[in-house]
Amino acid sequence: MDQTSFGIRHMTEKEVELAVDWAAAEGWNPGIHDAQCFWAADRKGFLVGCLDGEPIGCISAVSYGDGYGFVGFYIVRPEWRGRGYGLQLWQAAMAQLTDRVVGLDGVTAQQENYRKSGFELAYRNIRYSGVFPAVPSSGTRPELQPNVDIIPTHQVNQAKLNDYDSALFFAPRPGFLRSWLTQRDSAAMAAVSDDTLAGYGVIRRCRSGWKIGPLFAEDIFVADALLRSLAGCANGEEVFLDVPAVNAAAMELAANYNMTQVFDTARMYKGSAPALPLGKVYGVTTFELG
């Protein structure tokens, strides 16, 4: 097959919006303003494959410092699949992240293909869905300590928030976080105890319903308070939460509000998986960027 007319280049900011639209067409239900936030994470992190100048596929290869990267948005338009274009996009993404530990959230059925590229399963992420306000199935809920307050994140020192986030993610991501916390159609809340940050979370409007992510907390009590505060912004619409299956307390929290499992992914890494305190990760930021 003649592929001389196929080329791969970095996306423009506008083309990231196209990738988000393609993701929506695949049923991934992205956030309304994801494109602008993702662009803020790494302006060289998004690749588009063009045939005769027309975009037909994409992939993201976002760098986090010199040590980590994350792959997502791996899409070839349906009419162009099975012709080798996806493989070329994949190879370009991996070349861009050379010498980094690379993570991804892949559909479970594709695990074997990712293993062929050197990825190994770390754990599963499970997407839960529910409608709030909800009464915990036990008739009670974890009680937040009286000295913990839930406040908007804009009332928290940004450097302190960045430090907290960095301890629970691969690396600092201040540019992304600044955009993520201030996007339209969203709410960002923090839990503060005696001027110490005990957790924070974000909820954003998506093509369908709302997604919470990240949801980081020191314990289930803080996570519960943040979950209820954020979910209240959805005004009774469907709420999604992506939970690492290795965090038993997070699974318990979702079940306590009768949230149901609707989807799962395989979190995989090429290279040594980062030693993150997953017991404090009650909700993943996004499947696209980690």
PDB file of all heavy atoms in Angstrom, residues 75-103:
ATOM      1  N   ILE A  75      -6.747   7.157  18.490  1.00  0.00           N
ATOM      2  CA  ILE A  75      -7.945   7.017  17.653  1.00  0.00           C
ATOM      3  C   ILE A  75      -7.566   7.098  16.172  1.00  0.00           C
ATOM      4  O   ILE A  75      -6.826   8.000  15.768  1.00  0.00           O
ATOM      5  CB  ILE A  75      -8.981   8.130  17.948  1.00  0.00           C
ATOM      6  CG1 ILE A  75      -9.365   8.147  19.437  1.00  0.00           C
ATOM      7  CG2 ILE A  75     -10.237   7.957  17.081  1.00  0.00           C
ATOM      8  CD1 ILE A  75     -10.184   9.374  19.831  1.00  0.00           C
ATOM      9  N   VAL A  76      -8.066   6.182  15.386  1.00  0.00           N
ATOM     10  CA  VAL A  76      -8.057   6.292  13.924  1.00  0.00           C
ATOM     11  C   VAL A  76      -9.509   6.269  13.476  1.00  0.00           C
ATOM     12  O   VAL A  76     -10.302   5.452  13.965  1.00  0.00           O
ATOM     13  CB  VAL A  76      -7.258   5.139  13.270  1.00  0.00           C
ATOM     14  CG1 VAL A  76      -7.392   5.202  11.745  1.00  0.00           C
ATOM     15  CG2 VAL A  76      -5.795   5.209  13.676  1.00  0.00           C
ATOM     16  N   ARG A  77      -9.858   7.166  12.604  1.00  0.00           N
ATOM     17  CA  ARG A  77     -11.235   7.237  12.129  1.00  0.00           C
ATOM     18  C   ARG A  77     -11.645   5.875  11.549  1.00  0.00           C
ATOM     19  O   ARG A  77     -10.845   5.202  10.880  1.00  0.00           O
ATOM     20  CB  ARG A  77     -11.390   8.323  11.068  1.00  0.00           C
ATOM     21  CG  ARG A  77     -11.066   9.717  11.576  1.00  0.00           C
ATOM     22  CD  ARG A  77     -12.027  10.144  12.678  1.00  0.00           C
ATOM     23  NE  ARG A  77     -13.359  10.395  12.154  1.00  0.00           N
ATOM     24  CZ  ARG A  77     -14.467  10.423  12.892  1.00  0.00           C
ATOM     25  NH1 ARG A  77     -14.412  10.132  14.171  1.00  0.00           N
ATOM     26  NH2 ARG A  77     -15.625  10.705  12.342  1.00  0.00           N
ATOM     27  N   PRO A  78     -12.878   5.423  11.809  1.00  0.00           N
ATOM     28  CA  PRO A  78     -13.283   4.054  11.448  1.00  0.00           C
ATOM     29  C   PRO A  78     -12.994   3.663  10.005  1.00  0.00           C
ATOM     30  O   PRO A  78     -12.559   2.529   9.741  1.00  0.00           O
ATOM     31  CB  PRO A  78     -14.796   4.066  11.728  1.00  0.00           C
ATOM     32  CG  PRO A  78     -14.967   5.075  12.818  1.00  0.00           C
ATOM     33  CD  PRO A  78     -13.955   6.152  12.516  1.00  0.00           C
ATOM     34  N   GLU A  79     -13.199   4.572   9.069  1.00  0.00           N
ATOM     35  CA  GLU A  79     -13.028   4.215   7.657  1.00  0.00           C
ATOM     36  C   GLU A  79     -11.570   4.009   7.266  1.00  0.00           C
ATOM     37  O   GLU A  79     -11.273   3.506   6.168  1.00  0.00           O
ATOM     38  CB  GLU A  79     -13.670   5.271   6.757  1.00  0.00           C
ATOM     39  CG  GLU A  79     -13.083   6.669   6.876  1.00  0.00           C
ATOM     40  CD  GLU A  79     -13.771   7.528   7.931  1.00  0.00           C
ATOM     41  OE1 GLU A  79     -14.264   6.964   8.928  1.00  0.00           O
ATOM     42  OE2 GLU A  79     -13.800   8.761   7.737  1.00  0.00           O
ATOM     43  N   TRP A  80     -10.629   4.393   8.157  1.00  0.00           N
ATOM     44  CA  TRP A  80      -9.205   4.266   7.831  1.00  0.00           C
ATOM     45  C   TRP A  80      -8.490   3.243   8.706  1.00  0.00           C
ATOM     46  O   TRP A  80      -7.258   3.164   8.689  1.00  0.00           O
ATOM     47  CB  TRP A  80      -8.514   5.632   7.961  1.00  0.00           C
ATOM     48  CG  TRP A  80      -9.046   6.637   6.988  1.00  0.00           C
ATOM     49  CD1 TRP A  80      -9.828   7.721   7.251  1.00  0.00           C
ATOM     50  CD2 TRP A  80      -8.853   6.630   5.569  1.00  0.00           C
ATOM     51  NE1 TRP A  80     -10.127   8.399   6.100  1.00  0.00           N
ATOM     52  CE2 TRP A  80      -9.543   7.753   5.038  1.00  0.00           C
ATOM     53  CE3 TRP A  80      -8.161   5.789   4.684  1.00  0.00           C
ATOM     54  CZ2 TRP A  80      -9.562   8.047   3.691  1.00  0.00           C
ATOM     55  CZ3 TRP A  80      -8.182   6.092   3.336  1.00  0.00           C
ATOM     56  CH2 TRP A  80      -8.874   7.198   2.858  1.00  0.00           C
ATOM     57  N   ARG A  81      -9.235   2.448   9.435  1.00  0.00           N
ATOM     58  CA  ARG A  81      -8.614   1.459  10.313  1.00  0.00           C
ATOM     59  C   ARG A  81      -8.141   0.232   9.524  1.00  0.00           C
ATOM     60  O   ARG A  81      -8.636  -0.040   8.435  1.00  0.00           O
ATOM     61  CB  ARG A  81      -9.588   1.047  11.420  1.00  0.00           C
ATOM     62  CG  ARG A  81      -9.852   2.181  12.391  1.00  0.00           C
ATOM     63  CD  ARG A  81     -10.930   1.879  13.408  1.00  0.00           C
ATOM     64  NE  ARG A  81     -11.208   3.063  14.211  1.00  0.00           N
ATOM     65  CZ  ARG A  81     -12.208   3.175  15.069  1.00  0.00           C
ATOM     66  NH1 ARG A  81     -13.047   2.148  15.252  1.00  0.00           N
ATOM     67  NH2 ARG A  81     -12.393   4.297  15.749  1.00  0.00           N
ATOM     68  N   GLY A  82      -7.182  -0.479  10.108  1.00  0.00           N
ATOM     69  CA  GLY A  82      -6.691  -1.696   9.481  1.00  0.00           C
ATOM     70  C   GLY A  82      -5.730  -1.465   8.341  1.00  0.00           C
ATOM     71  O   GLY A  82      -5.438  -2.389   7.567  1.00  0.00           O
ATOM     72  N   ARG A  83      -5.168  -0.256   8.230  1.00  0.00           N
ATOM     73  CA  ARG A  83      -4.263   0.055   7.127  1.00  0.00           C
ATOM     74  C   ARG A  83      -2.865   0.453   7.608  1.00  0.00           C
ATOM     75  O   ARG A  83      -2.045   0.911   6.804  1.00  0.00           O
ATOM     76  CB  ARG A  83      -4.849   1.174   6.267  1.00  0.00           C
ATOM     77  CG  ARG A  83      -6.272   0.893   5.790  1.00  0.00           C
ATOM     78  CD  ARG A  83      -6.733   1.903   4.778  1.00  0.00           C
ATOM     79  NE  ARG A  83      -8.155   1.753   4.458  1.00  0.00           N
ATOM     80  CZ  ARG A  83      -8.739   2.322   3.426  1.00  0.00           C
ATOM     81  NH1 ARG A  83      -8.040   3.087   2.594  1.00  0.00           N
ATOM     82  NH2 ARG A  83     -10.034   2.152   3.204  1.00  0.00           N
ATOM     83  N   GLY A  84      -2.625   0.305   8.892  1.00  0.00           N
ATOM     84  CA  GLY A  84      -1.294   0.598   9.411  1.00  0.00           C
ATOM     85  C   GLY A  84      -1.095   2.013   9.898  1.00  0.00           C
ATOM     86  O   GLY A  84      -0.020   2.330  10.439  1.00  0.00           O
ATOM     87  N   TYR A  85      -2.086   2.879   9.749  1.00  0.00           N
ATOM     88  CA  TYR A  85      -1.913   4.265  10.190  1.00  0.00           C
ATOM     89  C   TYR A  85      -1.841   4.360  11.713  1.00  0.00           C
ATOM     90  O   TYR A  85      -1.080   5.152  12.264  1.00  0.00           O
ATOM     91  CB  TYR A  85      -3.055   5.134   9.661  1.00  0.00           C
ATOM     92  CG  TYR A  85      -3.157   5.158   8.155  1.00  0.00           C
ATOM     93  CD1 TYR A  85      -4.347   4.835   7.502  1.00  0.00           C
ATOM     94  CD2 TYR A  85      -2.052   5.505   7.377  1.00  0.00           C
ATOM     95  CE1 TYR A  85      -4.434   4.853   6.114  1.00  0.00           C
ATOM     96  CE2 TYR A  85      -2.136   5.516   5.987  1.00  0.00           C
ATOM     97  CZ  TYR A  85      -3.329   5.192   5.367  1.00  0.00           C
ATOM     98  OH  TYR A  85      -3.404   5.207   4.001  1.00  0.00           O
ATOM     99  N   GLY A  86      -2.639   3.545  12.397  1.00  0.00           N
ATOM    100  CA  GLY A  86      -2.614   3.562  13.853  1.00  0.00           C
ATOM    101  C   GLY A  86      -1.261   3.158  14.404  1.00  0.00           C
ATOM    102  O   GLY A  86      -0.769   3.753  15.370  1.00  0.00           O
ATOM    103  N   LEU A  87      -0.644   2.150  13.806  1.00  0.00           N
ATOM    104  CA  LEU A  87       0.669   1.704  14.248  1.00  0.00           C
ATOM    105  C   LEU A  87       1.703   2.813  14.099  1.00  0.00           C
ATOM    106  O   LEU A  87       2.552   3.022  14.978  1.00  0.00           O
ATOM    107  CB  LEU A  87       1.104   0.472  13.457  1.00  0.00           C
ATOM    108  CG  LEU A  87       2.495  -0.081  13.795  1.00  0.00           C
ATOM    109  CD1 LEU A  87       2.591  -0.475  15.260  1.00  0.00           C
ATOM    110  CD2 LEU A  87       2.828  -1.263  12.892  1.00  0.00           C
ATOM    111  N   GLN A  88       1.613   3.550  13.004  1.00  0.00           N
ATOM    112  CA  GLN A  88       2.556   4.658  12.812  1.00  0.00           C
ATOM    113  C   GLN A  88       2.349   5.753  13.855  1.00  0.00           C
ATOM    114  O   GLN A  88       3.321   6.332  14.363  1.00  0.00           O
ATOM    115  CB  GLN A  88       2.390   5.235  11.405  1.00  0.00           C
ATOM    116  CG  GLN A  88       2.858   4.291  10.308  1.00  0.00           C
ATOM    117  CD  GLN A  88       2.763   4.922   8.931  1.00  0.00           C
ATOM    118  OE1 GLN A  88       3.401   5.941   8.658  1.00  0.00           O
ATOM    119  NE2 GLN A  88       1.954   4.334   8.049  1.00  0.00           N
ATOM    120  N   LEU A  89       1.114   6.028  14.197  1.00  0.00           N
ATOM    121  CA  LEU A  89       0.833   7.006  15.247  1.00  0.00           C
ATOM    122  C   LEU A  89       1.391   6.519  16.583  1.00  0.00           C
ATOM    123  O   LEU A  89       2.013   7.287  17.338  1.00  0.00           O
ATOM    124  CB  LEU A  89      -0.673   7.240  15.358  1.00  0.00           C
ATOM    125  CG  LEU A  89      -1.298   8.175  14.324  1.00  0.00           C
ATOM    126  CD1 LEU A  89      -2.811   7.985  14.287  1.00  0.00           C
ATOM    127  CD2 LEU A  89      -0.950   9.629  14.628  1.00  0.00           C
ATOM    128  N   TRP A  90       1.174   5.251  16.878  1.00  0.00           N
ATOM    129  CA  TRP A  90       1.669   4.675  18.127  1.00  0.00           C
ATOM    130  C   TRP A  90       3.190   4.788  18.203  1.00  0.00           C
ATOM    131  O   TRP A  90       3.751   5.193  19.227  1.00  0.00           O
ATOM    132  CB  TRP A  90       1.240   3.216  18.229  1.00  0.00           C
ATOM    133  CG  TRP A  90       1.811   2.495  19.404  1.00  0.00           C
ATOM    134  CD1 TRP A  90       2.909   1.673  19.410  1.00  0.00           C
ATOM    135  CD2 TRP A  90       1.342   2.534  20.756  1.00  0.00           C
ATOM    136  NE1 TRP A  90       3.139   1.195  20.674  1.00  0.00           N
ATOM    137  CE2 TRP A  90       2.192   1.710  21.516  1.00  0.00           C
ATOM    138  CE3 TRP A  90       0.281   3.176  21.384  1.00  0.00           C
ATOM    139  CZ2 TRP A  90       2.033   1.515  22.883  1.00  0.00           C
ATOM    140  CZ3 TRP A  90       0.107   2.987  22.747  1.00  0.00           C
ATOM    141  CH2 TRP A  90       0.969   2.170  23.481  1.00  0.00           C
ATOM    142  N   GLN A  91       3.866   4.443  17.129  1.00  0.00           N
ATOM    143  CA  GLN A  91       5.323   4.499  17.112  1.00  0.00           C
ATOM    144  C   GLN A  91       5.825   5.926  17.286  1.00  0.00           C
ATOM    145  O   GLN A  91       6.827   6.165  17.979  1.00  0.00           O
ATOM    146  CB  GLN A  91       5.854   3.892  15.814  1.00  0.00           C
ATOM    147  CG  GLN A  91       5.623   2.386  15.720  1.00  0.00           C
ATOM    148  CD  GLN A  91       5.927   1.814  14.344  1.00  0.00           C
ATOM    149  OE1 GLN A  91       5.925   2.532  13.336  1.00  0.00           O
ATOM    150  NE2 GLN A  91       6.195   0.514  14.293  1.00  0.00           N
ATOM    151  N   ALA A  92       5.125   6.888  16.700  1.00  0.00           N
ATOM    152  CA  ALA A  92       5.519   8.290  16.844  1.00  0.00           C
ATOM    153  C   ALA A  92       5.344   8.764  18.284  1.00  0.00           C
ATOM    154  O   ALA A  92       6.189   9.497  18.816  1.00  0.00           O
ATOM    155  CB  ALA A  92       4.696   9.166  15.894  1.00  0.00           C
ATOM    156  N   ALA A  93       4.263   8.333  18.925  1.00  0.00           N
ATOM    157  CA  ALA A  93       4.025   8.710  20.319  1.00  0.00           C
ATOM    158  C   ALA A  93       5.097   8.126  21.230  1.00  0.00           C
ATOM    159  O   ALA A  93       5.640   8.815  22.110  1.00  0.00           O
ATOM    160  CB  ALA A  93       2.642   8.246  20.756  1.00  0.00           C
ATOM    161  N   MET A  94       5.421   6.858  21.024  1.00  0.00           N
ATOM    162  CA  MET A  94       6.415   6.223  21.874  1.00  0.00           C
ATOM    163  C   MET A  94       7.803   6.823  21.643  1.00  0.00           C
ATOM    164  O   MET A  94       8.598   6.969  22.588  1.00  0.00           O
ATOM    165  CB  MET A  94       6.429   4.712  21.619  1.00  0.00           C
ATOM    166  CG  MET A  94       5.126   4.003  22.006  1.00  0.00           C
ATOM    167  SD  MET A  94       4.578   4.368  23.701  1.00  0.00           S
ATOM    168  CE  MET A  94       5.935   3.660  24.635  1.00  0.00           C
ATOM    169  N   ALA A  95       8.087   7.204  20.418  1.00  0.00           N
ATOM    170  CA  ALA A  95       9.373   7.841  20.133  1.00  0.00           C
ATOM    171  C   ALA A  95       9.471   9.183  20.849  1.00  0.00           C
ATOM    172  O   ALA A  95      10.555   9.578  21.304  1.00  0.00           O
ATOM    173  CB  ALA A  95       9.543   8.027  18.626  1.00  0.00           C
ATOM    174  N   GLN A  96       8.367   9.879  20.955  1.00  0.00           N
ATOM    175  CA  GLN A  96       8.359  11.180  21.628  1.00  0.00           C
ATOM    176  C   GLN A  96       8.594  11.035  23.130  1.00  0.00           C
ATOM    177  O   GLN A  96       9.093  11.958  23.771  1.00  0.00           O
ATOM    178  CB  GLN A  96       7.028  11.894  21.361  1.00  0.00           C
ATOM    179  CG  GLN A  96       6.945  13.284  21.960  1.00  0.00           C
ATOM    180  CD  GLN A  96       5.882  14.135  21.309  1.00  0.00           C
ATOM    181  OE1 GLN A  96       5.847  14.298  20.092  1.00  0.00           O
ATOM    182  NE2 GLN A  96       4.986  14.692  22.113  1.00  0.00           N
ATOM    183  N   LEU A  97       8.240   9.878  23.690  1.00  0.00           N
ATOM    184  CA  LEU A  97       8.371   9.658  25.134  1.00  0.00           C
ATOM    185  C   LEU A  97       9.549   8.752  25.486  1.00  0.00           C
ATOM    186  O   LEU A  97       9.598   8.189  26.571  1.00  0.00           O
ATOM    187  CB  LEU A  97       7.067   9.066  25.674  1.00  0.00           C
ATOM    188  CG  LEU A  97       5.830   9.954  25.531  1.00  0.00           C
ATOM    189  CD1 LEU A  97       4.581   9.215  26.003  1.00  0.00           C
ATOM    190  CD2 LEU A  97       6.000  11.265  26.295  1.00  0.00           C
ATOM    191  N   THR A  98      10.495   8.632  24.584  1.00  0.00           N
ATOM    192  CA  THR A  98      11.668   7.792  24.816  1.00  0.00           C
ATOM    193  C   THR A  98      12.360   8.181  26.121  1.00  0.00           C
ATOM    194  O   THR A  98      12.458   9.360  26.457  1.00  0.00           O
ATOM    195  CB  THR A  98      12.658   7.931  23.642  1.00  0.00           C
ATOM    196  OG1 THR A  98      12.021   7.485  22.451  1.00  0.00           O
ATOM    197  CG2 THR A  98      13.899   7.092  23.876  1.00  0.00           C
ATOM    198  N   ASP A  99      12.824   7.180  26.850  1.00  0.00           N
ATOM    199  CA  ASP A  99      13.572   7.347  28.105  1.00  0.00           C
ATOM    200  C   ASP A  99      12.684   7.797  29.269  1.00  0.00           C
ATOM    201  O   ASP A  99      13.200   8.199  30.318  1.00  0.00           O
ATOM    202  CB  ASP A  99      14.745   8.327  27.946  1.00  0.00           C
ATOM    203  CG  ASP A  99      15.772   7.846  26.927  1.00  0.00           C
ATOM    204  OD1 ASP A  99      15.953   6.616  26.817  1.00  0.00           O
ATOM    205  OD2 ASP A  99      16.369   8.688  26.241  1.00  0.00           O
ATOM    206  N   ARG A 100      11.375   7.737  29.108  1.00  0.00           N
ATOM    207  CA  ARG A 100      10.464   8.031  30.200  1.00  0.00           C
ATOM    208  C   ARG A 100       9.703   6.769  30.596  1.00  0.00           C
ATOM    209  O   ARG A 100       9.516   5.868  29.782  1.00  0.00           O
ATOM    210  CB  ARG A 100       9.450   9.114  29.808  1.00  0.00           C
ATOM    211  CG  ARG A 100      10.015  10.510  29.677  1.00  0.00           C
ATOM    212  CD  ARG A 100       8.917  11.470  29.216  1.00  0.00           C
ATOM    213  NE  ARG A 100       9.322  12.860  29.315  1.00  0.00           N
ATOM    214  CZ  ARG A 100      10.004  13.509  28.378  1.00  0.00           C
ATOM    215  NH1 ARG A 100      10.346  12.867  27.269  1.00  0.00           N
ATOM    216  NH2 ARG A 100      10.328  14.777  28.548  1.00  0.00           N
ATOM    217  N   VAL A 101       9.247   6.730  31.838  1.00  0.00           N
ATOM    218  CA  VAL A 101       8.236   5.751  32.226  1.00  0.00           C
ATOM    219  C   VAL A 101       6.928   6.234  31.615  1.00  0.00           C
ATOM    220  O   VAL A 101       6.542   7.398  31.781  1.00  0.00           O
ATOM    221  CB  VAL A 101       8.107   5.651  33.757  1.00  0.00           C
ATOM    222  CG1 VAL A 101       6.931   4.752  34.138  1.00  0.00           C
ATOM    223  CG2 VAL A 101       9.401   5.127  34.361  1.00  0.00           C
ATOM    224  N   VAL A 102       6.239   5.354  30.896  1.00  0.00           N
ATOM    225  CA  VAL A 102       5.023   5.753  30.173  1.00  0.00           C
ATOM    226  C   VAL A 102       3.830   4.987  30.724  1.00  0.00           C
ATOM    227  O   VAL A 102       3.881   3.763  30.879  1.00  0.00           O
ATOM    228  CB  VAL A 102       5.164   5.481  28.661  1.00  0.00           C
ATOM    229  CG1 VAL A 102       3.910   5.954  27.919  1.00  0.00           C
ATOM    230  CG2 VAL A 102       6.409   6.175  28.108  1.00  0.00           C
ATOM    231  N   GLY A 103       2.750   5.708  31.009  1.00  0.00           N
ATOM    232  CA  GLY A 103       1.522   5.098  31.479  1.00  0.00           C
ATOM    233  C   GLY A 103       0.407   5.238  30.473  1.00  0.00           C
ATOM    234  O   GLY A 103       0.471   6.068  29.554  1.00  0.00           O
TER     235      GLY A 103
END
